[in-house]
Amino acid sequence: MFGLSSSWYDWKDLGLEHYYGASALLSELLIENPKVPLKTTQFFAEFLVYWWMMLSFACDPELRQIQDPPPIPQHMPEPRMPHPLTGISPESQLLLGKVGRLVLSQRRTALRQATTTAGALNCGLAGNEEPRNLEHQLVSLKLPTADMVLDPQDPHTSVNDLVNIAQAYQLCGLLLLYCAYPNLLDCKLPPETSHAARTWVSETPRSIAEYLISLAFHVLRVLEQNSKNSGTRTIEAILLLIVSGVLSQRAVCPSGSEGEIQCDICYQLPGISRSHEHSSLHGQMTATEARALVVTRFQRIQDILPFNTIWRMKLLVLEIWRLMDQGSDVFWVDLLVQNNWQFVMI
């Protein structure tokens, strides 16, 4: 998979010709040798899933059409064999790639239409079914539990680490989706919540920011459960970027019962239990502490992947925070589009 690492040496090199070549070779293999064991073809297919996900954040579909990766079998063999790039859930990465492709396309359109009013744009987005379909797929995605996964026998990477990184991908797919389509957050409160509280959450911009930062804190806490030397570090940089995009010092994360309401989406997911440990975590962190965690985790990634792309992602994060602290309502995807930064974020 040389093409996947092309950007390590030239950050503008997306390795597209290698992706197309690998896709074609795998397709030929499946046609000419239909009896090849599923585990063999699945190993290479999952490489392409991860690669496609990264390209979804780098390529403008109006300029470059990316061939979809091979389909993921509906019933994966159990116990699952962990993959070096997709871990135990290629499904969550495929969904994050679809969200990334949709959001970048939406933001490119919005930025080109400089004369479009915010109200008109929101009305157009509200009727779009694709975001709601992706939200439904992410929320209903059932991740493998630890007892359904083969132990990788890696002293630094436990099965629980793999479960956590899969959950983080699932949550970041939702976080990015909600950043671009905040109307999806309407009526996210439990049914027993009072009408006054429901109205406040669904209509107040500040409450949307609180919901997003609460979800971001939850992602960081999930990642923090992994060991410092976990091999999952190699695939978490894109997650840190998504989380960083909502870590505004102006957003106040609620605590106590209100905090649990704000992060209720976490407990609608089949793979996350409503434990006391998880329900109280996001109320124990500030944006400053969260930023420090992100920087620390980026450094751990750079310790094993000392390449331009990781360094550039870290610079992007620092620029996002600088603009936030100056009072700008910045979206990191807009910075990518406006500066024409197209690179594979690995």
Side-chain angles (χ1 to χ4, degrees), residues 30 45 55 81 142 149-150 156 173 182 204 222 232 257 267 271 309 319 327:
L30 293 172
L55 289 174
M81 172 68 75
K142 293 184 179 180
V149 179
L150 286 173
H156 301 299
T204 306
V222 170
T232 58
S257 60
Y267 309 110
T309 49
E319 177 65 7

Side-chain angles (χ1 to χ4, degrees), residues 44-153:
F44 292 105
E46 289 190 34
F47 266 111
L48 292 175
V49 168
Y50 181 81
W51 199 345
W52 178 87
M53 175 193 70
M54 288 302 180
L55 289 174
S56 297
F57 285 90
C59 292
D60 185 343
E62 293 186 7
L63 301 177
R64 298 168 176 167
Q65 281 293 335
I66 312 170
Q67 180 182 342
D68 288 342
I72 299 171
Q74 289 188 346
H75 302 288
M76 297 280 282
E78 294 181 5
R80 287 203 184 188
M81 172 68 75
H83 190 277
L85 291 179
T86 60
I88 60 171
S89 180
E91 300 92 340
S92 61
Q93 294 191 351
L94 184 65
L95 285 172
L96 180 59
K98 289 180 178 180
V99 171
R101 180 176 60 180
L102 174 66
V103 170
L104 265 77
S105 177
Q106 182 250 96
R107 295 312 303 160
R108 287 188 185 101
T109 300
L111 292 170
R112 287 180 189 133
Q113 298 173 349
T115 58
T116 302
T117 65
L121 183 60
N122 285 334
C123 287
L125 297 178
N128 194 333
E129 288 300 314
E130 189 173 359
R132 295 192 183 279
N133 289 337
L134 285 172
E135 180 194 29
H136 173 73
Q137 291 178 58
L138 282 162
V139 171
S140 60
L141 176 63
K142 293 184 179 180
L143 301 174
T145 56
D147 61 339
M148 298 165 59
V149 179
L150 286 173
D151 190 334
Q153 300 297 314

Side-chain angles (χ1 to χ4, degrees), residues 77-238:
E78 294 181 5
R80 287 203 184 188
M81 172 68 75
H83 190 277
L85 291 179
T86 60
I88 60 171
S89 180
E91 300 92 340
S92 61
Q93 294 191 351
L94 184 65
L95 285 172
L96 180 59
K98 289 180 178 180
V99 171
R101 180 176 60 180
L102 174 66
V103 170
L104 265 77
S105 177
Q106 182 250 96
R107 295 312 303 160
R108 287 188 185 101
T109 300
L111 292 170
R112 287 180 189 133
Q113 298 173 349
T115 58
T116 302
T117 65
L121 183 60
N122 285 334
C123 287
L125 297 178
N128 194 333
E129 288 300 314
E130 189 173 359
R132 295 192 183 279
N133 289 337
L134 285 172
E135 180 194 29
H136 173 73
Q137 291 178 58
L138 282 162
V139 171
S140 60
L141 176 63
K142 293 184 179 180
L143 301 174
T145 56
D147 61 339
M148 298 165 59
V149 179
L150 286 173
D151 190 334
Q153 300 297 314
D154 181 341
H156 301 299
T157 310
S158 68
V159 169
N160 285 330
D161 287 357
L162 296 167
V163 173
N164 289 336
I165 195 73
Q167 289 181 356
Y169 265 92
Q170 183 182 25
L171 290 169
C172 279
L174 288 166
L175 178 57
L176 181 56
L177 199 58
Y178 294 147
C179 285
Y181 298 90
N183 57 294
L184 293 174
L185 289 174
D186 291 345
C187 301
K188 278 290 181 286
L189 293 179
E192 64 271 15
T193 304
S194 68
H195 174 73
R198 185 189 303 276
T199 302
W200 180 79
V201 168
S202 63
E203 295 183 359
T204 306
R206 178 173 171 179
S207 69
I208 293 174
E210 289 176 350
Y211 192 105
L212 296 176
I213 200 170
S214 181
L215 184 52
F217 287 175
H218 192 95
V219 173
L220 284 176
R221 290 300 193 187
V222 170
L223 292 175
E224 279 291 290
Q225 293 178 55
N226 287 3
S227 68
K228 292 182 179 180
N229 296 319
S230 175
T232 58
R233 287 177 294 164
T234 60
I235 58 172
E236 74 172 52
I238 184 65

